[in-house]
Amino acid sequence: MFNKTNASEHPLNRRNFLKMSAAAAAAGICPILQPGVLWSAEGGILKIRDYSDIKSLDPSFFLSVPEENINACIYNKLIAFKPGRKWEWELQAAKSIQQVDPTHITFELREGIMHSGGFGEMTAEDVKYSFERVADPANKSPNIDDWGPLEKVEVTGKYTGTIVFKSPFQPVWWTTLPYTTGNIISMKATEKVGGKYSNDPPSVNGPYMLKEWKPNQRTVLTRNPVWKGPKSYFDEIRIFPIDDEKTAEIALESGDVDFTRLSIPSLKNYTKTPPKGAKTEKFPSLYWLWMGMNQDNEVLKDKRIRKAIQMALDRKTIVEAAYFGFAEVANGNVPAGLLGHREKTTLPDKPDYDGAKKLLTEAGYPNGLDLTLDVLNKSTFNTIAQVIQAVLSPAGVRVQINIHDSGAFWVLGSEKDSDRWKSIQLIVGRFSGVPDPSYYTRWHLSSQVGIWNWERFSNDEYDKLDKAALGETDQEKRAAMYVRMQELLEESGCVTFITNEVIPVAYRDDIKPAFRPDGTPLLRNFSKI
Amino acid sequence: MWIYLAKRTSLAVVIVIIAISLLYSMILMVPGDPTAVILGPRSTPEMREALRADMGLDRPAIVQVGSFILRVFKGDMGTDVFTNRPVSQIVFEQLPYTMILIFAGISWAIVLGIPLGCYSALNRNSFIDKLTGVFSVGTIAIPAFVIALYGLLIFAVHLQWLPAIGAGEEGDLVDQIKHLILPAFAIGLGWVGYLSRLVRASMLEVLGENHIRTARAFGLPEKLIVFRYALKLAILPTVALMGVGVGYLLSSSVFAEIVFARPGIGKLIYESVLTRNYPIIMGSVLITTIIFVLCTMMADIINAILDPRMRENL
């Protein structure tokens, strides 16, 4: 049992928690409704580039990060990620929050958070409504897993309630409460529009409100007049959906946007010659990139072949070539800084071609073998595929690269869609992540075979560990479980971890940005120098 | 002429129906599950199955095509799967941006290309003619997106004379024009070359014909001969080309709209293809096909007005 009253940081352990509890004594440092917290001379317009247009501002139907970037400005959560380089959260709409036992979390809301449009004050009923509607299968939310085994939210007072789980669910502190399905919306307003909405929120409660959404052009946020909390710096935030990173970089240099994410090749160029009037920074990302091998494929079902390929795969060269030396080789899928990060690998530092050839010969391929490698049609992945082709060649593995667009690629291993999963051999996969290890390991559960587990890896120990780790409150034990799961994945030969990538960003030098540790902008915290 | 118009219009309707049927079938054949893209990686197979049924994707392809065409005749192009907005609303919101861009691009190409072609024909082998030749081939060979990128680097980044992205503030005409200059320049530049080459070749052919020689023998002023008798005929292939050219400009506008992060039908189609947003793809393609067919039809009609012999050729 532990108690969280002000802030938390990752990795969580008892010692860290005690520190946080001590910090909680200073809970008044950043109270959400303390109007005295003002920037020195706020105002103006912040212009942001995001990589796609918004699809739904209903947190239950969230699909991509650009939506959460806006949701984080127009709604409040009980707890929110704290800007900085360390994974921490701080209280936002909650005055206090406590895990009273492994399946119960009690909370108390701050008073006076108002919903716009005359929908009154935020109450525990709104919290119950917001969370339960995501978890209710009848509502068909694609984010239903965020709430895991949520049973209900009990309202115990106007501002107080208890979140009740059927079984312990630790990811709630990192993937749910401070993320998009942790956003609290107005029950009255949402029910008034039929219980569901898209890009036209009927009411908001954060420092900003939606002023305008012009599809394909921009989304404009303006100050929410009923917001009584700490005032954000900018009067207006304009978010431009620009898919092409080069265009975004030009827009930054010409002053048309104040902030954008960069491409890796541009980071290389900008490191030599910084963009005019702008600064660059890089962050460790939450993505994970790996090379997968389909163990149900006729050729790859022999583990010796998979192990031979792992031995020959020069991961360092791949990362150097594709990320220009800015990213690190990963030994697991859980990124550094998160609980469950795996420091060491059993794979050789340098490719062992002799060992690989020996294994291939034992498996009946003394003259090597031909394999296909399926990748997404993005320049980084194409580079990775070409390097894999080159580095496997000395071991006698001849690779043919198949490039697919996103619509075609993401269904390759899906049994529901076609029989192509049978012919998949090697793939370069890349998944996004959230700051909890469970999100990284869940895709290779036996239940995911034919859905997202294209390697068709299946292991009882792995499945049992996943279930146990979700409810393990001892953070050291939990971390060890996830490390073991990554070992099992690698040991099977199905997955070879390559990198967790980096996120480079650039912003105008008069902007004082605020980021999560993975470089995701926290727009309501942006200000000017 | 009325019979010609009726025949040409019927042909246009048939072309649109065939084109849409073909496009729909091709889109359905492209591998990829739209529901996986729409609902994201966290969706369950059951959710995807339900959405597939909602979108009518579980029905045979022929039924889907037929039902789409029937709905279109009733004025219903479907609903966007992400936002639940009517497709017609989304498409018609974006269409004006593309049409303005195409109009601006082709307009400046006409204003510069046709006089250049005339001048080159009338001053054959002169320095300007040779220069125009080199310029034309050069501009035709350079893809629109390269021109767009260099335009951005020079005029938006280095000189900062023009904005880099967007379509400008609504209601601010000057701002909108500023945002239009670079994209229109990018998609129109190649057309200056095409038009000048085509007009030059046609003019040279017409200027060598008997009726021009007769006109000159009668002592008619050169300006009258060029603009009234020669250009009227020499412009015919250009008019036909312009009809087809709208189709090419629609393609170029995709690049321009992506590079300049400008709203428009091209960008809408591009993003919809990536997300397998079938209703939007079909709605957008239907409208662009109709525009293209209308433009070629108009070009044919103008040609038929200018040259009555064309009416017999349908």
Side-chain angles (χ1 to χ4, degrees):
Chain A
M1 192 196 308
F2 57 93
N3 177 345
K4 297 163 190 251
T5 49
N6 187 34
S8 182
E9 68 181 50
H10 231 318
L12 271 180
N13 53 38
R14 287 199 175 90
R15 190 171 297 168
N16 280 342
F17 177 69
L18 286 172
K19 281 186 205 165
M20 288 165 343
S21 301
I29 290 171
C30 55
I32 197 169
L33 296 173
Q34 187 178 307
V37 181
L38 292 175
W39 301 105
S40 53
E42 67 277 341
I45 298 169
L46 175 67
K47 291 171 284 177
I48 296 289
R49 171 257 172 171
D50 225 326
Y51 64 85
S52 74
D53 203 0
I54 52 175
K55 294 180 182 72
S56 176
L57 293 179
D58 182 338
S60 183
F61 293 90
F62 148 89
L63 282 173
S64 59
V65 175
E67 289 146 35
E68 170 54 14
N69 288 344
I70 292 170
N71 284 347
C73 293
I74 62 176
Y75 305 119
N76 283 294
K77 307 168 175 76
L78 291 177
I79 57 173
F81 288 119
K82 204 172 171 181
R85 289 275 179 172
K86 251 183 2 189
W87 284 105
E88 293 175 294
W89 53 256
E90 60 191 355
L91 297 174
Q92 196 172 65
K95 196 171 167 184
S96 67
I97 188 161
Q98 287 179 307
Q99 175 118 39
V100 288
D101 69 42
T103 55
H104 289 77
I105 295 169
T106 58
F107 66 87
E108 183 180 356
L109 283 173
R110 294 181 190 278
E111 293 176 26
I113 302 174
M114 303 303 292
H115 293 295
S116 67
F119 289 101
E121 192 181 2
M122 183 188 284
T123 66
E125 286 289 353
D126 293 317
V127 177
K128 175 183 171 68
Y129 178 78
S130 304
F131 298 170
E132 286 184 354
R133 74 192 282 269
V134 181
D136 182 356
N139 288 333
K140 294 179 184 169
S141 164
N143 306 310
I144 189 169
D145 287 347
D146 280 4
W147 277 101
L150 178 73
E151 188 182 324
K152 59 184 173 179
V153 178
E154 282 174 357
V155 175
T156 52
K158 188 178 179 187
Y159 302 108
T160 56
T162 305
I163 302 167
V164 184
F165 290 97
K166 291 172 199 153
S167 56
F169 186 62
Q170 281 303 294
V172 71
W173 292 104
W174 297 102
T175 65
T176 315
L177 288 172
Y179 204 44
T180 198
T181 45
N183 283 304
I184 302 162
I185 58 174
S186 161
M187 180 175 74
K188 280 183 203 158
T190 310
E191 282 304 303
K192 200 179 171 189
V193 295
K196 190 180 170 184
Y197 55 90
S198 178
N199 287 338
D200 45 357
S203 175
V204 297
N205 52 61
Y208 289 98
M209 61 192 300
L210 189 70
K211 181 183 175 188
E212 172 187 75
W213 172 55
K214 282 191 159 190
N216 264 341
Q217 276 195 69
R218 65 181 188 190
T219 306
V220 181
L221 306 179
T222 189
R223 288 191 192 280
N224 175 5
V226 300
W227 172 248
K228 302 283 183 276
K231 205 172 172 185
S232 292
Y233 184 95
F234 291 98
D235 289 335
E236 196 170 288
I237 301 177
R238 294 181 183 176
I239 299 143
F240 300 92
I242 305 175
D243 173 60
D244 185 61
E245 278 170 336
K246 289 287 163 200
T247 303
E249 287 157 14
I250 286 171
L252 176 87
E253 290 198 48
S254 66
D256 282 5
V257 298
D258 297 316
F259 165 81
T260 180
R261 190 185 275 198
L262 298 174
S263 63
I264 302 283
S266 295
L267 178 63
K268 187 189 169 198
N269 297 336
Y270 284 147
T271 304
K272 282 184 196 160
T273 319
K276 205 167 98 185
K279 287 177 185 166
T280 61
E281 258 187 271
K282 69 181 173 78
F283 294 84
S285 94
L286 288 181
Y287 287 93
W288 67 288
L289 188 134
W290 75 99
M291 193 188 80
M293 290 181 243
N294 177 5
Q295 68 168 5
D296 284 351
N297 179 266
E298 200 54 40
V299 180
L300 292 170
K301 66 183 177 190
D302 188 330
K303 191 176 173 182
R304 288 171 296 185
I305 297 177
R306 302 199 299 271
K307 295 305 283 181
I309 292 169
Q310 274 191 331
M311 287 167 94
L313 198 68
D314 186 349
R315 300 181 303 147
K316 201 175 169 192
T317 302
I318 296 168
V319 175
E320 281 284 332
Y323 299 92
F324 303 95
F326 291 113
E328 303 283 330
V329 173
N331 295 324
N333 48 9
V334 180
L338 296 193
L339 181 140
H341 173 65
R342 183 177 180 234
E343 298 279 353
K344 288 178 183 167
T345 177
T346 51
L347 296 178
D349 280 346
K350 287 181 180 172
D352 179 1
Y353 293 123
D354 292 335
K357 279 179 181 167
K358 197 178 157 206
L359 277 177
L360 288 179
T361 307
E362 281 172 25
Y365 291 96
N367 300 317
L369 77 168
D370 296 284
L371 292 172
T372 57
L373 172 63
D374 292 285
V375 290
L376 193 61
N377 64 346
K378 294 274 178 191
S379 62
T380 304
F381 305 141
N382 294 350
T383 307
I384 289 169
Q386 285 164 10
V387 181
I388 289 174
Q389 192 178 44
V391 300
L392 291 184
S393 172
V397 180
R398 296 171 292 276
V399 174
Q400 180 200 309
I401 301 167
N402 299 327
I403 297 170
H404 309 266
D405 86 311
S406 57
F409 181 79
W410 290 115
V411 292
L412 281 178
S414 166
E415 283 178 15
K416 277 248 172 195
D417 291 283
S418 70
D419 282 341
R420 273 176 303 213
W421 62 268
K422 291 177 185 167
S423 56
I424 292 175
Q425 293 182 322
L426 310 179
I427 57 132
V428 171
R430 177 183 181 257
F431 279 176
S432 59
V434 290
D436 189 86
S438 62
Y439 196 80
Y440 291 84
T441 49
R442 68 204 274 190
W443 310 109
H444 285 93
L445 294 171
S446 301
S447 57
Q448 285 287 324
V449 170
I451 304 172
W452 291 109
N453 180 355
W454 297 357
E455 293 81 8
R456 308 181 74 80
F457 165 82
S458 183
N459 182 295
D460 281 347
E461 186 188 350
Y462 186 94
D463 293 352
K464 281 177 191 159
L465 280 169
D466 176 76
K467 207 171 175 185
L470 284 176
E472 179 57 66
T473 51
D474 183 321
Q475 302 304 313
E476 277 166 29
K477 278 188 192 167
R478 190 168 181 242
M481 289 174 178
Y482 286 111
V483 170
R484 175 67 186 145
M485 290 169 84
Q486 291 165 82
E487 276 169 14
L488 289 170
L489 261 183
E490 188 178 82
E491 198 277 325
S492 71
C494 291
V495 169
T496 310
F497 305 109
I498 295 179
T499 181
N500 289 111
E501 302 191 329
V502 283
I503 300 286
V505 301
Y507 47 88
R508 306 291 309 167
D509 50 17
D510 58 344
I511 295 288
K512 193 176 169 196
F515 298 107
R516 284 187 351 186
D518 63 339
T520 300
L522 298 167
L523 299 179
R524 68 198 269 178
N525 300 100
F526 270 51
S527 61
K528 266 196 164 183
I529 292 169
Chain B
M1 186 65 194
W2 289 109
I3 294 171
Y4 174 82
L5 274 178
K7 277 183 179 176
R8 191 63 190 78
T9 309
S10 312
L11 184 66
V13 173
V14 172
I15 291 170
V16 169
I17 291 175
I18 293 174
I20 288 299
S21 306
L22 278 174
L23 282 165
Y24 202 110
S25 311
M26 283 160 70
I27 288 168
L28 290 179
M29 278 189 278
V30 172
D33 177 11
T35 59
V37 183
I38 292 161
L39 293 174
R42 309 163 90 189
S43 59
T44 62
E46 291 72 31
M47 282 175 191
R48 294 209 290 272
E49 202 57 52
L51 182 61
R52 214 172 277 140
D54 282 352
M55 290 171 74
L57 296 173
D58 53 345
R59 295 177 299 168
I62 187 89
V63 176
Q64 291 184 50
V65 177
S67 129
F68 176 75
I69 291 171
L70 276 178
R71 275 193 288 114
V72 167
F73 276 112
K74 289 180 197 165
D76 173 17
M77 287 200 285
T79 310
D80 175 22
V81 286
F82 289 112
T83 60
N84 281 326
R85 297 169 71 217
V87 169
S88 52
Q89 191 188 342
I90 294 171
V91 172
F92 286 110
E93 261 171 16
Q94 303 293 313
L95 188 63
Y97 294 103
T98 303
M99 295 315 291
I100 288 168
L101 175 61
I102 289 176
F103 181 74
I106 202 75
S107 298
W108 87 266
I110 288 172
V111 168
L112 196 62
I114 292 179
L116 266 179
C118 288
Y119 185 87
S120 295
L122 295 172
N123 300 278
R124 202 176 167 189
N125 293 327
S126 67
F127 174 71
I128 297 285
D129 179 30
K130 285 174 183 165
L131 193 69
T132 308
V134 172
F135 168 77
S136 301
V137 174
T139 55
I140 293 166
I142 304 170
F145 71 90
V146 175
I147 297 166
L149 281 176
Y150 276 95
L152 275 173
L153 285 173
I154 296 166
F155 297 106
V157 175
H158 292 295
L159 299 173
Q160 301 211 332
W161 289 351
L162 295 166
I165 56 161
E169 288 293 329
E170 215 165 81
D172 185 344
L173 190 63
V174 176
D175 191 44
Q176 287 178 356
I177 291 171
K178 275 186 186 172
H179 281 82
L180 190 61
I181 293 173
L182 279 178
F185 172 75
I187 68 163
L189 188 62
W191 279 88
V192 177
Y194 270 127
L195 292 178
S196 68
R197 288 287 87 188
L198 193 69
V199 170
R200 180 185 182 275
S202 304
M203 279 292 276
L204 284 174
E205 198 184 321
V206 174
L207 286 171
E209 284 186 7
N210 291 340
H211 70 283
I212 299 292
R213 197 169 62 233
T214 309
R216 281 194 175 124
F218 275 99
L220 292 179
E222 189 64 16
K223 269 190 184 171
L224 187 71
I225 293 169
V226 170
F227 290 107
R228 188 156 170 190
Y229 297 108
L231 188 59
K232 193 179 165 187
L233 285 177
I235 208 78
L236 288 177
T238 311
V239 172
L241 181 77
M242 303 291 288
V244 182
V246 172
Y248 287 107
L249 283 168
L250 279 167
S251 313
S252 305
S253 69
V254 177
F255 291 115
E257 285 165 7
I258 291 166
V259 172
F260 293 97
R262 197 184 150 78
I265 206 104
K267 195 172 169 219
L268 183 69
I269 293 175
Y270 168 76
E271 282 168 2
S272 306
V273 168
L274 286 184
T275 53
R276 299 290 193 273
N277 194 340
Y278 287 174
I280 299 282
I281 298 172
M282 288 314 299
S284 315
V285 170
L286 173 74
I287 297 300
T288 50
T289 307
I290 290 173
I291 291 169
F292 182 59
V293 169
L294 278 178
C295 289
T296 48
M297 192 172 90
M298 275 172 64
D300 285 352
I301 291 169
I302 292 168
N303 269 342
I305 293 168
L306 292 172
D307 183 357
R309 288 171 302 175
M310 305 281 283
R311 296 172 205 172
E312 310 301 321
N313 293 339
L314 191 70

